[in-house]
């Protein structure tokens, strides 16, 4: 029986400090021990694997022998950070894929108008801290999509500032919603809860996710439960859409050839008054490659319910198998030039010629496809509208490195010069 190797540690906390200092570097260092390696956090034994067959055997073939590790618990244990959302929010349950598609079809123009309104004052060549802009736009878009609420431009800043303050205090405060003003925490929460109450009690209809949730509950609507579910969906989508849009613009801003190729596609298919994303195959390649390099869900795990042997390896009850999409997506045996931004590695904007379980930006649950398709479509609309109006130029040639927290954050602020695109005659 093969022995699983890993670094030694005599500290009571095991490798916790090393992991927290540089999670991505720590995981990268473990590859020297083979396709599966081990480390310890206090008394708990962890394993990390990059072997797609072993991942399949743990998650699919022997799924009854392993249980999911709640992401909230895992990130609190390994990083000392708490998540904004529950695990279930990733899967958009109980909203059906056809409903999500219909929902976005109806709201495309609303998203476009929000972006147009936010960017109308941008000046040629202006230096923008672009992630701040993205956060403000995404907050406005999601309040519209989830709750059917339109907000004024000035309110976006208050929402985002309050949200970022709360994120910094997650160790002490459980966040519920991005808040309107520093002194109005309960005011906005009450406002949105009252909106749920109004829709439940008056049975009025809307074109938002609230409506689909209400439909799924039928006559047995629990107002607080619906509110909490929408809150979780809102927060998870906020984090993921901001994440994918930010990294996509970063990659485009430092890859001129791909940026111009995308711009040509936008001019051909999505430059008119009525936005059409159907033929944006290169856009989907850009997004897929961005999520390969910087997956929204970069780490997840399974815990053994019992002693078990997997592919000849012995795993004891309570031990945890970690799977890192970030590491899998950069496996040199499966991806040509794995650290390079190469959108054309994806065929027809979606599929990629690698073994199953090698590409999983939102994990490998079947339900995750629902959330990923919805997020990808929102990002497609977002980037289409942004690229239709502007080209982005990085202020310095060096790539911004990722910093692993609950999400793969940027180690420094992303600043770009925005250049206006003049409409073709």
């Amino acid at each position: 029986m093969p022995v699983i190797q890993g670094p030694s540690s005599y500290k009571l906390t095991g490798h916790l400090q090393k992991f927290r200092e540089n999670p991505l570097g720590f995981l990268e260092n473990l590859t020297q021990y083979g396709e599966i390696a081990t480390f310890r956090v206090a008394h708990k034994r962890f394993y990390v694997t990059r072997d797609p067959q072993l991942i399949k055997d743990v998650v699919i073939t022997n799924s009854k022998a392993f249980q999911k590790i709640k992401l909230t618990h895992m990130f609190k244990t390994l990083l000392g950070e708490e998540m904004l959302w529950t695990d279930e929010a990733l899967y958009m349950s109980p909203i059906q894929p056809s409903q999500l598609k219909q929902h976005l079809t109806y709201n495309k123009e609303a998203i476009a108008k929000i972006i147009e309104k936010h960017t109308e004052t941008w000046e040629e060549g202006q230096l923008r801290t672009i992630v701040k802009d993205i956060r403000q736009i995404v907050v406005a878009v999601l309040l519209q999509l989830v709750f059917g609420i339109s907000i004024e431009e000035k309110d976006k800043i208050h929402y985002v500032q309050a949200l970022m303050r709360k994120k910094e205090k997650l160790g002490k405060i459980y966040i519920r919603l991005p808040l309107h003003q520093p002194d109005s925490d309960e005011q906005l929460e009450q406002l949105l809860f009252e909106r749920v109450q109004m829709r439940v009690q008056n049975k009025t209809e809307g074109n938002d996710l609230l409506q689909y949730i209400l439909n799924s509950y039928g006559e047995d609507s629990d107002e607080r439960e619906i509110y909490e579910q929408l809150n979780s969906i809102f927060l998870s989508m906020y984090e993921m859409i901001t994440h994918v849009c930010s990294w996509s613009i970063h990659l485009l801003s430092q890859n001129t050839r791909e940026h111009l190729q995308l711009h040509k596609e936008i001019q051909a298919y999505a430059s008119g008054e009525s936005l059409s994303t159907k033929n944006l195959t290169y856009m989907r390649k850009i997004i897929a490659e961005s999520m390969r390099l910087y997956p929204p869900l970069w780490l997840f795990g399974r815990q053994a319910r019992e002693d078990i042997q997997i592919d000849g390896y012995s795993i004891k009850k309570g031990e945890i198998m970690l799977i890192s999409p970030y590491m899998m997506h950069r496996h040199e045996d499966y991806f040509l030039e794995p650290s390079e931004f190469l959108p054309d590695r994806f065929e027809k904007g979606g599929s990629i010629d690698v073994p199953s379980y090698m590409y999983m930006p939102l994990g490998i649950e079947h339900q995750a496809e629902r959330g990923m398709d919805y997020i990808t479509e929102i990002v497609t609309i977002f980037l289409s509208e942004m690229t239709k109006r502007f080209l982005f130029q990085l202020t310095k040639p060096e790539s911004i490195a990722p910093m692993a927290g609950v999400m793969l954050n940027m180690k420094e602020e992303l600043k770009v010069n925005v250049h206006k695109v003049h409409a073709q005659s």
Side-chain angles (χ1 to χ4, degrees):
M1 182 179 299
V3 177
I4 303 173
Q5 301 291 331
S8 59
S9 175
Y10 299 100
K11 295 183 177 180
L12 290 176
T13 56
H15 301 92
L16 182 60
Q17 182 178 352
K18 290 284 186 182
F19 186 95
R20 288 186 175 180
E21 287 174 355
N22 182 7
L24 299 179
F26 183 84
L27 293 177
E28 178 66 33
N29 184 62
L30 290 180
T31 61
Q32 67 179 294
Y33 299 101
E35 291 295 80
I36 181 171
T38 185
F39 68 97
R40 180 175 59 83
V41 172
H43 66 281
K44 188 75 69 177
R45 175 64 57 182
F46 289 81
Y47 300 96
V48 182
T49 182
R50 294 198 306 168
D51 185 340
Q53 183 59 50
L54 183 56
I55 291 172
K56 181 179 179 181
D57 288 343
V58 168
V59 178
I60 305 297
T61 309
N62 297 279
S63 60
K64 292 183 179 180
F66 291 86
Q67 63 184 357
K68 298 179 188 177
I69 300 295
K70 277 195 166 291
L71 297 178
T72 48
H73 176 73
M74 185 180 71
F75 284 117
K76 182 66 175 177
T77 300
L78 292 176
L79 296 173
E81 296 187 24
E82 293 187 32
M83 295 181 66
L84 298 176
W85 64 88
T86 62
D87 301 20
E88 291 77 11
L90 292 171
Y91 311 134
M92 302 298 292
S93 180
I95 307 171
Q96 298 303 312
S98 60
Q99 294 175 322
L100 292 173
K101 184 177 180 180
Q102 179 185 19
H103 173 62
L104 280 184
T105 299
Y106 182 88
N107 283 283
K108 279 181 181 179
E109 295 303 325
I111 298 173
K113 288 179 180 178
I114 290 171
I115 294 173
E116 180 181 16
K117 184 68 175 176
H118 183 88
T119 60
E120 63 183 1
T121 59
W122 291 12
E123 300 176 0
E124 168 60 29
Q126 186 179 26
L127 180 65
R128 306 288 308 186
T129 305
I130 198 68
V131 176
K132 291 182 179 179
D133 291 311
I134 292 171
R135 289 188 182 280
Q136 291 176 26
I137 296 171
V138 172
V139 161
V141 166
L142 290 180
L143 283 174
Q144 180 73 49
L145 293 180
V146 179
F147 290 97
I149 294 176
S150 298
I151 61 172
E152 297 295 328
E153 288 301 302
K154 60 182 177 63
D155 292 331
K156 296 177 186 177
I157 298 174
H158 295 303
Y159 277 88
V160 174
Q161 287 176 342
L163 174 58
M164 299 311 292
R165 281 195 300 273
K166 291 295 185 181
K167 285 181 66 176
E168 293 173 359
K169 300 177 182 178
L170 271 179
K172 300 177 182 178
I173 300 175
Y174 172 73
I175 185 168
R176 292 183 178 277
L177 278 171
L179 302 169
H180 183 59
Q181 296 179 26
D183 58 352
S184 62
D185 293 8
E186 296 180 0
Q187 181 181 349
L188 180 69
E189 184 172 339
Q190 185 64 29
L191 172 67
L192 296 177
F193 179 62
E194 286 176 356
R195 188 173 186 84
V196 173
Q197 284 184 311
M198 178 190 70
R199 294 276 288 277
V200 170
Q201 295 171 9
N202 297 344
K203 301 188 184 304
T204 55
E205 294 192 357
N207 293 290
D208 46 37
L209 294 186
L210 170 55
Q211 185 63 50
Y212 294 113
I213 295 293
L214 287 174
N215 291 344
S216 70
Y217 276 80
E219 295 297 322
D220 300 323
S221 299
D222 183 307
E223 295 163 358
R224 176 57 62 177
E225 185 177 342
I226 291 172
Y227 171 79
E228 294 292 348
Q229 189 169 4
L230 284 169
N231 171 50
S232 187
I233 290 174
F234 180 98
L235 292 170
S236 65
M237 287 174 58
Y238 170 79
E239 286 293 305
M240 291 184 188
I241 293 169
T242 300
H243 172 98
V244 178
C245 288
S246 299
W247 282 111
S248 295
I249 288 180
H250 170 255
L251 291 165
L252 288 171
S253 67
Q254 64 174 173
N255 291 275
T256 304
R257 183 179 68 86
E258 288 78 7
H259 199 347
L260 291 176
Q261 184 173 341
L262 176 61
H263 172 64
K264 289 179 181 178
E265 182 179 73
I266 296 296
Q267 290 294 94
Y269 295 112
S271 59
E273 290 296 325
S274 180
L275 176 66
S276 173
T277 59
K278 181 179 180 181
N279 296 312
L280 298 183
T281 56
Y282 194 68
M283 171 69 80
R284 285 174 169 77
K285 290 182 181 182
I286 294 286
I287 296 169
E289 178 70 344
S290 175
M291 289 196 290
R292 183 190 69 83
L293 287 167
Y294 305 106
L297 183 61
W298 68 275
L299 187 69
F300 62 96
R302 296 290 187 272
Q303 185 173 34
R305 297 178 184 271
E306 58 195 43
D307 292 352
I308 188 173
Q309 288 190 17
I310 300 288
D311 295 350
Y313 298 107
S314 178
I315 308 295
K316 294 181 179 179
K317 179 180 179 179
E319 295 182 333
I320 296 171
M321 182 73 71
L322 292 178
I323 300 163
S324 171
Y326 179 86
M327 298 300 297
M328 300 291 288
H329 294 178
R330 294 167 182 261
H331 199 307
E332 60 281 355
D333 290 349
Y334 299 99
F335 295 98
L336 178 68
E337 298 182 81
S339 297
E340 297 299 314
F341 179 61
L342 301 173
D344 283 331
R345 73 173 80 241
F346 286 86
E347 295 295 328
K348 298 181 180 179
S351 62
I352 187 169
D353 187 22
V354 296
S356 298
Y357 313 118
M358 287 303 300
Y359 181 72
M360 44 186 172
L362 286 184
I364 55 181
E365 296 287 343
H366 176 69
Q367 300 97 316
E369 296 176 8
R370 183 182 309 175
M372 188 166 76
D373 288 345
Y374 186 69
I375 289 169
T376 298
E377 187 61 23
I378 294 177
V379 173
T380 299
I381 297 171
F382 186 102
L383 292 179
S384 297
E385 289 295 332
M386 296 290 279
T387 308
K388 183 169 73 174
R389 293 173 170 80
F390 301 97
L391 293 175
F392 304 98
Q393 181 183 21
L394 201 63
T395 55
K396 57 181 182 178
E398 296 85 5
S399 175
I400 295 177
M403 178 175 62
V406 172
M407 305 289 285
L408 289 177
N409 301 313
M410 296 181 179
K411 280 193 173 181
E412 55 189 281
E413 289 186 330
L414 174 59
K415 296 180 182 291
V416 298
N417 293 110
V418 293
H419 298 282
K420 291 185 177 181
V421 173
H422 299 288
Q424 294 180 343
S425 58

